[in-house]
Amino acid sequence: MRSYHLRTPGSLDGIVLREREIPTPGPGEILVRVRAAAFNKRDALILQGRYPLPIRPDVIPLSDGAGEVVAAGERVTRFRVGDRAVGSYWPRWHGGRLSTDLYDQLGNTLDGMLTEYALLDQEWAVGVPDSLDWAEAATLPCAAVTAWTSLTGGQGLLPGRTVLTPGSGGVSLFALQLAKSAGCQVICTTSSDAKAERLKTLGADHVINYATTPEWSAAVRRITGGEGADLVLDTMGPETIEQSMRSSALYGEVVMLGGGATDPYLRIDTATYARTMATIRRVFVGSRADLADLVRAVDVNAIRPVVDRVFPFAEAQDAFAYYLSGQAFGKVVVGID
């Protein structure tokens, strides 16, 4: 089998391809023939050495991947050979609240999914439906779960509520699709007219160009009749938190997702904070139970993840470079034949 390894963090040259024997699953383990793996912002932070958790030396990158179970060890009850599966972002966090003793992640402290075969504990994985192809299924564990827990993990999202999603990254696109499936009004921001049209095609009710409207919170309030958005996803942190707070409804929620920002401080004007009762809520992806709920929601609502481009396995470094360029609209995926 072939697998990529992060030999030296810091640059793409540190990602190397190696060959080794296909592992044999032990008790409670499954062997997954990986068919596709997808990139997320955290993979860029890990590559750059800016991720908050320690990196396992020579780790196989990428938390997100989907494939077919080709072998199962003794005492495996959750999967059978032939099942389709994805690994969970936090593999040992099965439900409830995250605790420090569960701080393991695929592609960081544990080997990830940029490999032809992945050996996983059966408790680390979730089944995926036939309604998604391999590339689509591979996009679910990180960005899609983050969008799902952002929408469902706080006060609860009811039909008719307004959701504000920034930009056109993976989390924002999933949040747009999931919020529309829940009957919500969705406002998006972007700096590109071309991307604005694509966001509208996906169901966005309103799109604000933040390049031409830097005080985009005022536009959000105009759209909502002065009320503001019930839920605001903030993916940029220090750069956008002020506008996010100003966009929020009186008792709204601002979900804080930004990671890897160069500015170490979040600054909110005192007057902005004083005139709202909004809650700031931190989200860090979600548990295996959240992943299972998300998978069901995607299947039932016939949501098709937005995939920008699929690269062949031999071009994984090029795929990473393309992802880092920021050109993509949707997920960047490596297909593994």
Side-chain angles (χ1 to χ4, degrees):
M1 60 171 277
R2 298 173 299 165
S3 57
Y4 284 92
H5 296 258
L6 182 55
R7 179 182 59 192
T8 308
S11 73
L12 291 174
D13 292 336
I15 298 176
V16 297
L17 183 64
R18 295 207 179 102
E19 290 190 7
R20 59 190 178 100
E21 293 296 319
I22 298 173
T24 299
E29 294 179 331
I30 57 174
L31 182 67
V32 177
R33 173 67 171 94
V34 183
R35 299 296 184 178
F39 292 92
N40 293 283
K41 183 177 180 179
R42 56 87 76 168
D43 300 308
L45 297 177
I46 290 171
L47 175 68
Q48 296 160 357
R50 297 197 295 129
Y51 201 61
L53 296 182
I55 304 169
R56 175 178 175 176
D58 210 42
V59 72
I60 297 174
L62 305 194
S63 61
D64 287 15
E68 179 184 4
V69 177
V70 293
E74 296 178 5
R75 300 196 298 273
V76 170
T77 58
R78 298 187 66 242
F79 293 93
R80 295 181 298 178
V81 171
D83 286 349
R84 293 157 52 91
V86 293
S88 181
Y89 183 90
W90 296 95
R92 297 196 299 115
W93 179 21
H94 299 160
R97 302 180 70 173
L98 179 63
S99 58
T100 54
D101 61 325
L102 303 178
Y103 273 15
D104 274 322
Q105 292 179 0
L106 297 178
N108 183 45
T109 60
L110 301 169
D111 279 335
M113 303 300 285
L114 193 55
T115 176
E116 291 180 319
Y117 290 88
L119 188 64
L120 303 174
D121 189 288
Q122 66 169 336
E123 302 295 341
W124 296 1
V126 168
V128 290
D130 293 334
S131 59
L132 302 177
D133 63 30
W134 288 121
E136 293 168 335
T139 68
L140 298 181
C142 182
V145 173
T146 300
W148 175 255
T149 55
S150 296
L151 296 173
T152 64
Q155 299 174 7
L157 202 59
L158 299 175
R161 298 291 174 88
T162 298
V163 177
L164 173 63
T165 65
S168 55
V171 173
S172 295
L173 294 183
F174 275 117
L176 165 58
Q177 293 174 290
L178 290 165
K180 289 305 298 181
S181 72
C184 296
Q185 174 181 233
V186 180
I187 304 171
C188 300
T189 68
T190 183
S191 61
S192 164
D193 291 338
K195 287 183 178 179
E197 291 305 313
R198 298 186 71 178
L199 289 167
K200 291 176 182 177
T201 300
L202 286 173
D205 298 284
H206 304 275
V207 181
I208 302 167
N209 188 318
Y210 62 79
T212 58
T213 310
E215 297 291 322
W216 38 268
S217 59
V220 173
R221 293 206 166 271
R222 284 196 299 272
I223 291 168
T224 58
E227 295 295 324
D230 299 291
L231 180 66
V232 180
L233 276 69
D234 190 306
T235 61
M236 299 301 292
E239 297 178 26
T240 53
I241 186 62
E242 177 74 19
Q243 287 297 304
S244 292
M245 291 296 293
R246 292 184 181 183
S247 298
S248 176
L250 180 60
Y251 279 92
E253 288 183 283
V254 176
V255 179
M256 180 59 62
L257 302 173
T262 54
D263 188 338
Y265 300 104
L266 291 173
R267 296 177 176 86
I268 303 172
D269 185 85
T270 303
T272 298
Y273 188 76
R275 68 188 182 193
T276 182
M277 302 294 288
T279 299
I280 298 177
R281 178 163 58 91
R282 184 76 171 97
V283 164
F284 202 161
V285 193
S287 67
R288 191 191 75 191
D290 294 319
L291 173 58
D293 289 341
L294 173 276
V295 168
R296 283 191 290 271
V298 167
D299 189 34
V300 168
N301 292 289
I303 292 174
R304 304 304 297 266
V306 181
V307 175
D308 178 274
R309 187 172 172 185
V310 180
F311 287 78
F313 188 63
E315 298 175 16
Q317 280 194 342
D318 294 334
F320 214 144
Y322 178 68
Y323 174 75
L324 293 173
S325 74
Q327 301 175 53
F329 183 92
K331 300 295 287 184
V332 179
V333 176
V334 175
I336 308 173
D337 296 326

